[in-house]
Amino acid sequence: MAYLGPRLGVSRIFLPHVTVFRALCTVRMDEMGLAVGRSSLERLDFDNVALKKLPLDPSDEPGVRLVKGACFSRVIPEPLNNPRFVAVSGEALALLGLDGEEVMNDPLGPEYLSGSKVMPGSEPAAHCYCGHQFGQFAGQLGDGAACYLGEVKVPPGQNPELLRENPSGRWEIQVKGAGLTPYSRKADGRKVLRSSIREFLCSEAMFFLGIPTTRAGSVVTSDSKVIRDIYYSGNPRYEKCSVVLRIAPTFLRFGSFEIFKPADEFTGRQGPSYGREEIRGQMLDYVIEMFYPEIQRDHPDRVERNVAFFREVMSRTARLVAQWQCVGFCHGVLNTDNMSVLGLTLDYGPYGFMDRFDPDFVCNASDNSGRYSYKAQPAICRWNLVKLAEALAPELPPDRAKAVIDEYLDQFNRFYLENMRKKLGLLRKEEPEDEILITELLRTMHDTGADFTNTFRNLAQISCPSEGETERDEEIVRKAAELLLEQCASLEELKSANTPTMDPRELSMLLSMAQSNPALFEMISDRATIARQLDRMSKLKVLLETSQDELRARQAQEWTSWIALYRKRLARELEGQSDVQAVQEERASVMDGANPRVVLRNYIAQNAIEAAESGDFSEVRRVLKVLGKPFSSQPGLELPAWVGSHRRTEQGERDEGEEPQQGTSSSSSSSSSTAMNPVPYDSKPPAWARQICVT
C-alpha cells in the first residue's frame, strides 16, 4: 500500500509551550520505563546476531582500506541535509511491526530511515565480500554504499508463511546510500534519486509478483547533492542524495564466501581473508544454523550438512531464475556478489522487464558482450554456483559439489516448465509436446516482435475448443490472432530493433581480424557479439524490402499457425471432463494469476523518476499502489496520476525541500517523458521509451 502523504493531526501541530510540556512528560515517563510518546522507530527490538557470531574488523581507521580477517566493519552513516520521505511501503515496514502511515507522519522517520540519526539498538556496519564481476575475480568489494543497521526481532503475530521463509526470527535492515565505508573504493557511498526509486519500486514489485526478493521499506531524498555523469559523456550534473531502506533475513551472498579465495590465476587478486579457514567455517555455521535450521537438525555429519545446504541453495537459485524468465525479468549484473545465499533477488541496479520479446535482450547498457542477457541468465546462475562451490571448499568437497551442480539444469527446467504450463493454462496433463508448444510460442513472439507481458496476459482469452464448433473454429482462430497482433511490433519498430549497434567499418575490421589474428580478436571482441550483429544485419535487410501490410500478413499467418497448435493442445485438457465451463473458468483464473497485467517497465519507472526529480512524489506512490496488485485491474489507477490534472498533487505529495524544477531524464532522451502522450500502465511502451538507457 502507498501512503499519499501525512494527514493533518495532533502530531503535525507544533505549539511551542505544548511541545516543551510534552517533551518533559515524555522524558519522565521514559524514566519510569514507559515508551509513551516515543517514535515507533525508537521502539524496534534489535538483536544484532550477525555482529556477535561473525568476526568484526577491529580497526576504526577511517577511509577505504583492505579489511582482513573480518566479515563486518563498524561505520558511521553520514547525515543528509533535510531528509524527507519520497514514499514508504506499508507492507514491507509491517515486517518490522511498523505502521506505514505512522512512520510517514513521524518527524524523525526520514532521519532514522536514511541513517542520518541512529536508532536505539542499531549498530551500523558494512559487510566485507568479494566477487566475480563479468567473469573476472575483482578481489575485495563489500558494502560500498549499503550500511547494515542491525537485525530487528520479528514482531508477535507475524504471518506464519513469512516465518517459514525466515526462520531466524529477525529481519536485517540496511540503508543504501548512507555514505562512505571501508569498501567504497573510489566512490562516495551515496545513491541518487533515480537509482533509489528504481530499487524501491522493483523490490516491492517483485514481491507482489510472488518472486523471492529483498524488500524495500522506504525511500528518502534530501537537499544533499553529489555529482554524477549519467552517461559517462563528460557532462556531469548535481543530483539529490537519496537512501533506500532494505529488508531481508540476511544480505549475505555468494561473494561473502569469496573473501578466502587464493590469488586468482587470471587477475592475480586474492580475497582479503585468504588463509583464514576458521572464519569460513564460522560463516558457514552461522548461515546454516540461522537460515537453514532443518538442515542443521537433520544432518549431524558436517560434510553431509554442507552438501545439503549447497543443494538447497542450488535449488532455490534454479527456481528463482526460472521465475525471472517467466515474467521477462533481466537482472543486468549477475555477478557472484549479487547472488543471495537464500535465493532472493538481490541488488536492483540496471535491471529491466522485457517489452518486445527478444532472447538476446540486454537491460544493462554497460554489458557490451551480452554476458548477462535474458537468455544467458540460467547458465550464468549455474556458473555462479560453481564459483560458490569453489569458495566453500574444502568444507564442501569438490566431487560432491559437482554432483549437486549437475542437478541444476534439470531443476531449472522443471521449475520453468511448471510455471510456463500455468501461464498457458495447461493444468490437467503434462505432455512431452508442451516443451515444443512453448518453444514455438517464444519463436513466434520473437519473429513478430510481440510484447512479452501482454501477449501472455491475452492467452487466457483464447478459448478451448468445444464439441460442435468446427464450423466456427476458423473464425475463433482469426479473432484470437487479431487479439495477439495488437501486441506485435510495427515495421518501424522492428527496423529500429534490428539496426546493428556496431559501425559497419568496425564490424568488417573485426571479421577480418577473426580470420587473420584470432588471438587479438579474442582480446577485443567475441564471436557471439559478432554473430548478433550479423544476425541483425540479415534481418534488417529483409525488413527494408518488406511493406507494413506484408509484415502484418506474415505476422497473422505465424500467429494463426501457433493458435491452431495451442487449441489442439487445449482440447486434450478437456478429455474426460464433464463440466467444460468449469474447466474454462479454472484455466482463465490460473492464467490471470500467473500472467501479470502490469510489471515495472522502464517507462513507468521513468515517469515516476522525472516527476520526483521535479518535486512531485505522487507518481512514485501511485506506481507502488499499482504494482501492489499486478494481476488485477484497478479502476481509477489505469493512468499516471498527472494525466488530466496538470500535475496537481495531494497535500504532502509535493517535495517541500525546494521549489519545483524541470526534471532531467535519466534516459538518453532529455525531453520530459510526461510531456508525451500518456499510456496506461498495462500498455505496450510508448515510442520514447526506446531511448531510455540504464547503466
Side-chain angles (χ1 to χ4, degrees), residues 366-547:
S366 306
D367 184 6
N368 297 319
S369 69
R371 177 181 174 85
Y372 297 140
S373 68
Y374 169 80
K375 73 177 182 184
Q377 289 186 133
I380 285 294
C381 286
R382 181 190 181 281
W383 190 91
N384 289 340
L385 283 163
V386 170
K387 295 303 166 187
L388 174 61
E390 291 174 1
L392 293 175
E395 288 275 4
L396 177 68
D399 60 327
R400 301 293 301 278
K402 182 181 181 303
V404 172
I405 290 169
D406 287 346
E407 301 170 15
Y408 171 82
L409 189 58
D410 285 342
Q411 287 265 31
F412 167 77
N413 284 333
R414 180 167 63 83
F415 292 131
Y416 180 76
L417 281 172
E418 181 182 298
N419 285 334
M420 276 294 184
R421 284 191 172 102
K422 288 179 183 176
K423 291 174 76 70
L424 269 66
L426 309 178
L427 310 178
R428 284 172 161 69
K429 297 173 184 266
E430 294 184 6
E431 301 194 355
E433 294 83 0
D434 292 348
E435 291 188 51
I436 298 172
L437 182 68
I438 293 164
T439 300
E440 283 300 302
L441 168 61
L442 296 177
R443 184 194 60 76
T444 304
M445 289 171 66
H446 187 210
D447 288 348
T448 62
D451 185 86
F452 184 90
T453 300
N454 290 356
T455 297
F456 274 106
R457 183 72 178 183
N458 283 333
L459 293 182
Q461 297 184 51
I462 300 176
S463 63
C464 296
S466 57
E467 284 187 54
E469 73 166 27
T470 312
E471 65 280 358
R472 293 178 52 238
D473 192 64
E474 189 174 325
E475 177 67 10
I476 291 170
V477 171
R478 185 185 65 78
K479 286 186 176 179
E482 286 178 358
L483 181 71
L484 297 180
L485 279 171
E486 292 177 11
Q487 302 304 326
C488 293
S490 68
L491 181 61
E492 290 308 309
E493 287 172 329
L494 288 176
K495 285 179 183 178
S496 175
N498 287 287
T499 299
T501 56
M502 191 178 288
D503 185 279
R505 291 167 297 181
E506 181 185 0
L507 182 58
S508 176
M509 180 198 72
L510 289 171
L511 285 169
S512 175
M513 186 185 297
Q515 297 295 321
S516 62
N517 194 339
L520 180 60
F521 169 79
E522 293 295 339
M523 290 174 64
I524 60 177
S525 187
D526 60 86
R527 296 186 184 278
T529 299
I530 300 301
R532 281 196 299 273
Q533 296 298 315
L534 292 173
D535 183 55
R536 284 186 168 204
M537 288 181 65
S538 174
K539 288 180 178 177
L540 182 61
K541 183 176 183 296
V542 172
L543 290 167
L544 289 171
E545 298 169 354
T546 303
S547 70

Side-chain angles (χ1 to χ4, degrees), residues 1-9 12 85-88 100-106 617-618 621-622 649-654 656:
M1 181 181 296
Y3 295 96
L4 303 180
R7 296 185 305 183
L8 190 61
R12 301 295 291 177
F85 282 123
V86 174
V88 303
E101 190 167 358
E102 184 180 344
V103 170
M104 192 77 162
N105 293 338
D106 186 346
F617 301 151
S618 64
R621 298 169 188 177
R622 187 179 183 87
T649 59
E650 299 294 326
Q651 182 178 0
E653 294 182 352
R654 168 67 63 183
E656 299 173 0

Side-chain angles (χ1 to χ4, degrees), residues 662-675:
Q662 176 62 42
T664 304
S665 172
S666 61
S667 76
S668 57
S669 168
S670 60
S671 60
S672 174
S673 65
T674 53

